[in-house]
Amino acid sequence: MSAHHWIDVAIQTPAHSPVGGLLSYRSPFGVQLGQLVRVPLGKRDVLGVVWALRDAAPADMPESAVRDVLGVLEGLAPLDSAWRQLVQFSAQYYQRSLGEVALAALPPQLRDLTSEQLARRLKKQTADCAVQTTPGPALSEEQGTVLAQMASGTGPFLLFGSTGSGKTEVYLQAVERMLATDPQAQALLMVPEINLTPQLEERVRARFGSEAVVSMHSGMTPAQRLKGWLAAHAGHARIVLGTRMAIFASMPHLKLIVVDEEHDPSYKQQEGARYSARDLAVYRGKLQNATVLLASATPSLESWHLSRPANSEDPGGRYQRLLMPSRIGTALLPKVRRVDMNKQPRRAVLSTQLVAAIQERVERGEQCMLLLNRRGYAPVLHCADCGWKSECKHCSAFRVFHKIDRTLRCHHCGLTERVPRACPECGNADIAPIGRGTEQLEEHLGELLAHVLRPDGTPVRIARIDADSTRLKGALESQLAQVHSGEVDVLVGTQMIAKGHDFRRITLVAAVNPDTALFSSDFRAPERLFALLMQAAGRAGRDAAQSASSEMWVQTFHPQHALFEALKKHDYPAFAASELAERTAADLPPISHQALLRADARTQEAAQGLLNAAREALEAQLSADPSTVDLVLQVSVYPAVPMSMQRVADVERAQMLLESPSRMALQKVLWHLHGVLHQVRSQPEHKGVIRWLVDVDPQAI
């Protein structure tokens, strides 16, 4: 055997380059799987991960063409096989190159460090990661039962606990028990958004000491990220707290993964490898034999369906459901009041009853919160006279108004028609998109409450929190601090204000115009709305003394809708049952599985042209081979349609939906599609295409 070692290295490559992310090199010294090495790529030298060891030089290239490894990053333990398997699975499942996923999962600063610089950083590390646990509060009966079930079962577990039921204490106790039984064990606690990290971080550090805890999220500096990653990789950090990116943290002794607010769409990455951190948490738990706890007051329908109990016809789901229905202490859930907007003056934004209720609370020195559901707002046309909406006659979806060419389009099946001049039902010429913005609402509220005085005789203070008002660094923190300190009487905002905040003085929460989500082109919109309203309701009356008088107001033109009926009773299981029945009838997830193929191009014709050409080539290829012909029947591939935001920065965007009852069949078709896309893209008629991407298990269509 020659003195050389032949290895395959994962390096960062562009998503759709034919290279695929593994390149062969020759190493003059012995290396281990998972080691970080520097290798030449073109004229640069780059960081890579040793992915495979070969017995001989690659057969498809002369030995002289294989380049030498430049060096190993000394002092760093290799990335273990469980981590490499997690990366490999993610790359395959989400249709990206292995090198792209592997290198994106490492802290950016690692790529530029020399071995000497790394040695200096490692020297600074304290191996003393002593956990000093301070005892937590006494557990409620429900909390105790849930922890006992976790100790005796294998999971994955879905903890369905109402807002304020003490879910965080359950996580902390689970961590405490794990650390007590295993001197090396590590825990990963995940939250959906950065602004929820500091609150949890404070509690975790207070409980287990600062040395043992590190955070991982995109708001950290590269140096902080590197420091946290090195501590987790070495096993010094016993608890990692982070957003979705933390799912790829190297944690060799991982024994517990908690995904808080598991229903939150933020766990799905929206660019690059579009992975779901929640789904990967379940996969990683299986790989590393770690306990997985998903938790929410409004679980995703996917997790709810996967935790369904067994019966005579159904073997049940793979998850074990744990229940905590009661709020801690004597705090009650707020009373839900529906306002029928059909009985209000036409075009009224706020009902007279709601304005009076807000005035009354402000005069008593209490706080109110007004929520405008604007996220994922795709404009659906609506007639205020007869209630007509732009439904699709082929799908259980609403067609969306495209301003660019004044058409109504269904994003599911592609049905397209010109916008009618008048309402097709009653002839009213005044048909308009449903919806309204937070800024208008803030102004309008200011006018309506101009005469209202607080208990100290000063005028009412209104604040707005949304993506525009929190653009500057630190703006969100300072605005939230004003709410907490009582400097704001009425808070107006988008879903940003509904999540996780422990506002003690809010006694009235109102959803101003939730109907947009009932009539959306996205079948997940009602599920998101219900979660948002339940979350928002959970912000009211968190102080036990005021909980009895706290209220959640919902202004709607459809007060009898099943969603609001379930909300009134705070009954998530009832909502989930009716929603799952609809999804089952329409063969939508979680009953079926989906993927979206998207193309960006100079023109809409070019974008759709690539997708439709790929569709035809794919069907021809699958049909011609007896081993794949059944995939054509198992996977529906719909024609290409423009995206709801059709043009962004002068780039036209189109999408094509693939759907199948079998996850396996869908994955096989996507694998074939990958090859087809490379062939089709190289044809001269598709040169107007800028890029394409695949989104597996998309969160919005």
Side-chain angles (χ1 to χ4, degrees):
M1 183 178 153
S2 69
H4 292 306
H5 304 267
W6 306 98
I7 59 175
D8 287 347
V9 178
I11 56 157
Q12 178 92 45
T13 51
H16 300 304
S17 75
V19 173
L22 281 186
L23 293 180
S24 299
Y25 289 92
R26 184 172 47 201
S27 175
F29 37 81
V31 291
Q32 291 171 274
L33 285 173
Q35 256 184 322
L36 292 174
V37 289
R38 292 218 166 278
V39 293
L41 179 68
K43 293 187 172 152
R44 301 177 299 141
D45 72 319
V46 297
L47 185 69
V49 183
V50 178
W51 215 263
L53 307 177
R54 289 171 165 270
D55 296 338
D60 54 356
M61 56 197 293
E63 276 196 33
S64 56
V66 183
R67 301 172 75 179
D68 278 348
V69 170
L70 301 170
V72 172
L73 222 48
E74 301 286 349
L76 211 54
L79 291 153
D80 63 18
S81 64
W83 185 88
R84 298 197 307 277
Q85 219 176 317
L86 175 72
V87 166
Q88 188 135 9
F89 170 79
S90 307
Q92 281 168 345
Y93 187 81
Y94 294 106
Q95 305 288 316
R96 306 298 286 197
S97 79
L98 196 145
E100 179 197 10
V101 178
L103 273 294
L106 299 174
Q109 248 192 0
L110 256 188
R111 298 174 209 178
D112 311 320
L113 289 186
T114 62
S115 287
E116 293 71 43
Q117 291 169 316
L118 178 63
R120 280 205 298 277
R121 282 190 172 62
L122 290 170
K123 218 187 209 146
K124 282 189 205 157
Q125 274 201 347
T126 51
D128 172 35
C129 59
V131 180
Q132 319 125 352
T133 309
T134 37
L139 292 177
S140 71
E141 194 181 328
E142 286 177 5
Q143 288 172 322
T145 304
V146 159
L147 283 159
Q149 287 173 304
M150 282 178 68
S152 61
T154 52
F157 300 100
L158 173 67
L159 172 56
F160 167 49
S162 71
T163 51
S165 62
K167 293 189 287 292
T168 309
E169 188 52 40
V170 168
Y171 316 153
L172 299 180
Q173 290 269 355
V175 171
E176 194 177 312
R177 291 178 184 198
M178 177 209 70
L179 295 176
T181 50
D182 181 342
Q184 279 190 306
Q186 292 175 297
L188 173 60
L189 298 182
M190 293 175 69
V191 290
E193 291 184 27
I194 296 175
N195 53 12
L196 298 178
T197 324
Q199 305 177 47
L200 188 57
E201 199 173 351
E202 252 171 64
R203 276 183 75 169
V204 176
R205 286 183 190 278
R207 193 73 166 266
F208 301 108
S210 292
E211 295 301 315
V213 185
V214 296
S215 285
M216 287 189 189
H217 55 74
S218 57
M220 303 175 78
T221 65
Q224 288 171 326
R225 273 171 76 171
L226 177 66
K227 189 179 172 194
W229 186 88
L230 289 171
H233 177 63
H236 300 329
R238 304 292 299 282
I239 301 165
V240 172
L241 237 171
T243 51
R244 61 174 176 259
M245 65 191 294
I247 192 57
F248 288 112
S250 171
M251 299 176 72
H253 309 297
L254 183 62
K255 287 285 173 278
L256 172 70
I257 306 175
V258 174
V259 184
D260 191 22
E261 308 291 2
E262 67 85 33
H263 66 278
D264 198 295
S266 307
Y267 282 121
K268 181 86 158 91
Q269 173 75 4
Q270 288 307 329
E271 61 268 342
R274 292 167 175 241
Y275 63 87
S276 158
R278 176 198 66 210
D279 297 352
L280 287 180
V282 174
Y283 180 79
R284 187 169 188 180
K286 203 162 64 180
L287 272 183
Q288 289 188 257
N289 202 12
T291 301
V292 177
L293 177 66
L294 312 177
S296 172
T298 52
S300 63
L301 286 181
E302 279 78 5
S303 300
W304 189 252
H305 183 63
L306 281 167
S307 68
R308 66 194 185 280
N311 60 37
S312 54
E313 281 110 59
D314 181 358
R318 299 200 313 271
Y319 300 177
Q320 186 180 341
R321 195 180 290 175
L322 310 173
L323 307 173
M324 286 192 349
S326 321
R327 267 190 161 181
I328 287 287
T330 54
L332 306 167
L333 285 165
K335 185 175 175 208
V336 176
R337 302 183 61 151
R338 291 169 287 186
V339 181
D340 186 348
M341 293 303 280
N342 297 298
K343 296 178 179 162
Q344 294 296 316
R346 204 163 151 211
R347 301 204 183 284
V349 182
L350 295 171
S351 60
T352 44
Q353 298 98 305
L354 178 58
V355 176
I358 293 171
Q359 177 173 344
E360 194 183 310
R361 303 263 168 180
V362 170
E363 286 170 346
R364 286 211 301 256
E366 296 169 16
Q367 290 175 317
C368 302
M369 181 168 110
L370 267 64
L371 179 72
L372 202 63
N373 180 37
R374 207 183 50 179
R375 193 186 201 164
Y377 161 57
V380 168
L381 288 191
H382 165 241
C383 168
D385 277 7
C386 74
W388 170 86
K389 302 194 180 54
S390 51
E391 278 178 71
C392 174
K393 52 178 178 267
H394 301 301
C395 301
S396 58
F398 288 82
R399 288 176 301 153
V400 168
F401 171 49
H402 281 250
K403 213 169 182 176
I404 291 177
D405 53 3
R406 295 201 61 77
T407 56
L408 286 174
R409 295 176 187 267
C410 172
H411 292 160
H412 206 83
C413 74
L415 175 68
T416 305
E417 288 174 356
R418 301 283 303 158
V419 169
R421 291 185 178 281
C423 171
E425 299 277 317
C426 74
N428 170 24
D430 192 11
I431 49 176
I434 304 177
R436 177 171 204 101
T438 38
E439 216 167 325
Q440 292 165 293
L441 184 60
E442 183 189 21
E443 280 174 26
H444 187 54
L445 204 55
E447 292 159 14
L448 292 173
L449 301 177
H451 63 288
V452 177
L453 299 178
R454 305 168 67 248
D456 61 3
T458 55
V460 63
R461 294 165 305 186
I462 300 169
R464 170 169 58 94
I465 293 187
D466 58 19
D468 300 327
S469 74
T470 54
R471 209 163 263 156
L472 297 174
K473 194 169 166 54
L476 179 65
E477 289 74 15
S478 66
Q479 286 177 317
L480 290 173
Q482 288 181 331
V483 182
H484 283 293
S485 65
E487 290 168 54
V488 171
D489 304 307
V490 184
L491 177 61
V492 176
T494 50
Q495 79 289 337
M496 278 172 120
I497 58 174
K499 290 180 187 169
H501 303 295
D502 196 5
F503 298 129
R504 284 283 156 190
R505 294 193 181 97
I506 287 182
T507 57
L508 182 148
V509 173
V512 176
N513 183 12
D515 291 353
T516 46
L518 302 178
F519 309 106
S520 167
S521 61
D522 182 357
F523 67 87
R524 280 195 180 85
E527 177 185 354
R528 299 248 165 91
L529 173 66
F530 192 82
L532 182 66
L533 295 180
M534 286 278 279
Q535 285 282 341
R539 297 315 109 215
R542 289 178 85 83
D543 192 319
Q546 292 180 322
S547 70
S549 65
S550 67
E551 292 178 333
M552 164 90 189
W553 286 60
V554 177
Q555 294 194 151
T556 172
F557 286 96
H558 306 273
Q560 304 312 316
H561 196 285
L563 187 147
F564 299 130
E565 289 284 350
L567 181 72
K568 187 170 175 57
K569 302 183 186 112
H570 298 279
D571 190 349
Y572 172 81
F575 166 74
S578 73
E579 198 65 14
L580 277 169
E582 283 187 23
R583 300 268 189 100
T584 305
D587 269 339
L588 289 168
I591 310 305
S592 69
H593 306 281
Q594 295 180 328
L596 272 183
L597 175 61
R598 198 179 106 190
D600 294 0
R602 298 273 163 246
T603 64
Q604 188 59 227
E605 293 72 37
Q608 289 189 39
L610 175 83
L611 300 180
N612 287 326
R615 177 179 179 236
E616 284 163 29
L618 175 71
E619 290 193 347
Q621 184 183 314
L622 296 175
S623 304
D625 183 342
S627 68
T628 56
V629 70
D630 60 329
L631 290 174
V632 179
L633 302 172
Q634 286 179 282
V635 181
S636 308
V637 185
Y638 293 92
V641 295
M643 291 185 63
S644 53
M645 286 279 287
Q646 187 174 319
R647 187 191 300 154
V648 174
D650 288 327
V651 170
E652 288 283 343
R653 312 179 322 153
Q655 65 186 23
M656 182 169 87
L657 180 67
L658 295 88
E659 200 168 53
S660 174
S662 157
R663 200 185 283 275
M664 194 64 136
L666 183 60
Q667 280 287 317
K668 284 180 185 165
V669 166
L670 290 173
W671 185 83
H672 286 283
L673 181 62
H674 198 79
V676 166
L677 280 162
H678 278 296
Q679 291 161 15
V680 173
R681 172 76 190 272
S682 60
Q683 294 163 0
E685 61 266 36
H686 300 299
K687 65 176 188 290
V689 174
I690 301 163
R691 71 183 77 84
W692 49 268
L693 61 88
V694 176
D695 187 358
V696 182
D697 304 331
Q699 281 298 301
I701 294 180

